[in-house]
Amino acid sequence: MINDVIEISKTAGEIIRDGFRTNHSIEFKTNESNLVTEIDKKAEDAIIDFVKKKYPGHAIIAEESGEHKTTSEYSWVIDPLDGTTNFAHGLPIFSVSIGVQKNGETIAGVVYDVMRDKLYSSELGSGSFCSDEKLNVSKENNLKHSILVTGFPYNVYENPNAVIEKFGAFVKNSRAVRRLGSAAIDFCYVAEGVFEGFWEVSLNPWDICAGKLIVEEAGGIVTNFADESININSKQILATNKLVHADMLKILNKY
Ligand code: IPD
Ligand code: CA
Ligand code: CA
């Protein structure tokens, strides 16, 4: 199955790469920051066609078209283009993110970083890889020596302080904080040992599904801010190398 997830992630990536820095029809979703382009939809259609042909009967949850319910124990959780704002503005940081669940447990995950042509993949119990290279989280245990990453939800303007106060506290307590604009890529950089930690206050199942498995199979941990294990329906996520988890939780719960 993982080879099929890899194949369709790359196909979707080609569609996105071909559409990069071309003219787009941009639509607003919940507000003027929350965009969807015709390329998001084209990539999603290609992935869904593939799943329906190759795995007829499997359920699908996809960002742009919603739930395609069936009675199958398998479900594909699809973000066809994670980082749409970057894509729409010509910033080359975005990905395809596809997770496959069996009875609610993620068994396979792929994140394709389109412009770097880096393919991150994982199967439950088999480790995480970027191409053929096995991934391991960072061994850094000092938050002051750590680089962290976060993202902002599209409704950030409703209560900016909830996000900014945490951001400010981490700026004071780490080496640096980044904000890349693709949650799936943020997870992969934790798995790869680049970032020690990634937090976000409000994500969706398609942002989390593949990335969470990739972090866990690289030796990391993903919880909510109460340090509870989570499924893909959790809004809050904290993904770390385990070693800075407790220190990050303290800050997340203080601000
Ligand atoms: C968004 C990105 C961003 C994160 C947002 C997500 P989208 O996904 O992952 O990094 O901060 O919360 O919604 O809309 O580009 O697929
Ligand atoms: Ca997303
Ligand atoms: Ca998306």
Side-chain angles (χ1 to χ4, degrees), residues 63 79 81-83 183 206-207:
E63 179 174 11
D79 191 336
L81 204 180
D82 184 52
W206 43 84
D207 301 312

Side-chain angles (χ1 to χ4, degrees), residues 98-109:
I98 304 179
V100 183
Q101 295 203 311
K102 185 178 180 190
N103 296 319
E105 182 176 39
T106 307
I107 56 167

Side-chain angles (χ1 to χ4, degrees), residues 29 35-36 40 44 63-64 78-84 95 154 206-207:
K29 299 212 281 190
L35 312 178
V36 59
D40 299 62
E44 180 164 308
E63 179 174 11
E64 308 309 338
I78 300 164
D79 191 336
L81 204 180
D82 184 52
T84 297
S95 59
Y154 289 117
W206 43 84
D207 301 312

Side-chain angles (χ1 to χ4, degrees), residues 71 92 115 150 187:
T71 55
M115 299 311 283
T150 190
F187 277 113

Side-chain angles (χ1 to χ4, degrees), residues 4-252:
D4 286 330
V5 189
I6 289 172
E7 182 189 327
I8 190 55
S9 299
K10 284 191 164 174
T11 302
E14 276 164 33
I15 293 169
I16 295 168
R17 204 179 297 119
D18 287 349
F20 187 51
R21 295 191 178 172
T22 59
N23 285 332
H24 296 296
S25 68
I26 293 175
E27 288 168 46
F28 303 147
K29 299 212 281 190
T30 49
N31 61 46
E32 285 176 51
S33 298
N34 190 356
L35 312 178
V36 59
T37 72
E38 81 287 7
I39 301 294
D40 299 62
K41 293 179 187 170
K42 212 171 155 187
E44 180 164 308
D45 288 348
I47 300 166
I48 290 176
D49 282 354
F50 179 91
V51 176
K52 286 193 168 164
K53 277 194 194 113
K54 193 111 196 209
Y55 297 95
H58 281 196
I60 296 169
I61 304 170
E63 179 174 11
E64 308 309 338
S65 58
E67 284 196 60
H68 306 239
K69 283 188 184 161
T70 69
T71 55
S72 173
E73 56 191 354
Y74 290 95
S75 177
W76 292 60
V77 185
I78 300 164
D79 191 336
L81 204 180
D82 184 52
T84 297
T85 308
N86 288 347
F87 175 81
H89 287 262
L91 182 65
I93 304 173
F94 41 80
S95 59
V96 179
S97 172
I98 304 179
V100 183
Q101 295 203 311
K102 185 178 180 190
N103 296 319
E105 182 176 39
T106 307
I107 56 167
V110 168
V111 173
Y112 183 44
D113 182 328
V114 176
M115 299 311 283
R116 289 196 310 132
D117 192 22
K118 295 280 182 195
L119 193 294
Y120 296 86
S121 67
S122 183
E123 281 180 285
L124 185 63
S126 305
S128 292
F129 296 85
C130 181
S131 302
D132 292 334
E133 193 191 325
K134 195 168 186 320
L135 301 179
N136 291 298
V137 294
S138 142
K139 293 188 172 61
E140 180 59 63
N141 63 9
N142 184 342
L143 193 57
K144 293 259 184 208
H145 296 176
S146 296
I147 301 192
L148 310 176
V149 68
T150 190
F152 302 150
Y154 289 117
N155 63 353
V156 61
Y157 62 88
E158 287 170 14
N159 184 9
N161 283 346
V163 170
I164 300 302
E165 282 172 6
K166 289 179 173 52
F167 193 97
F170 282 121
V171 167
K172 284 187 214 146
N173 287 284
S174 68
R175 183 165 284 162
V177 183
R178 301 288 180 251
R179 195 262 186 259
L180 300 184
S182 167
I185 291 178
D186 297 335
F187 277 113
C188 291
Y189 278 134
V190 173
E192 208 168 12
V194 173
F195 296 137
E196 276 68 32
F198 162 44
W199 84 95
E200 211 166 322
V201 299
S202 183
L203 285 179
N204 287 301
W206 43 84
D207 301 312
I208 297 172
C209 193
K212 176 175 182 282
L213 181 68
I214 291 169
V215 167
E216 290 169 344
E217 287 291 326
I221 187 173
V222 184
T223 71
N224 61 16
F225 299 168
D227 202 20
E228 294 160 342
S229 57
I230 56 162
N231 61 31
I232 59 171
N233 296 310
S234 173
K235 290 280 146 194
Q236 299 174 335
I237 66 100
L238 173 62
T240 72
N241 65 352
K242 287 187 180 161
L243 303 172
V244 298
H245 208 79
D247 285 346
M248 287 191 71
L249 282 170
K250 266 187 224 151
I251 290 175
L252 287 169

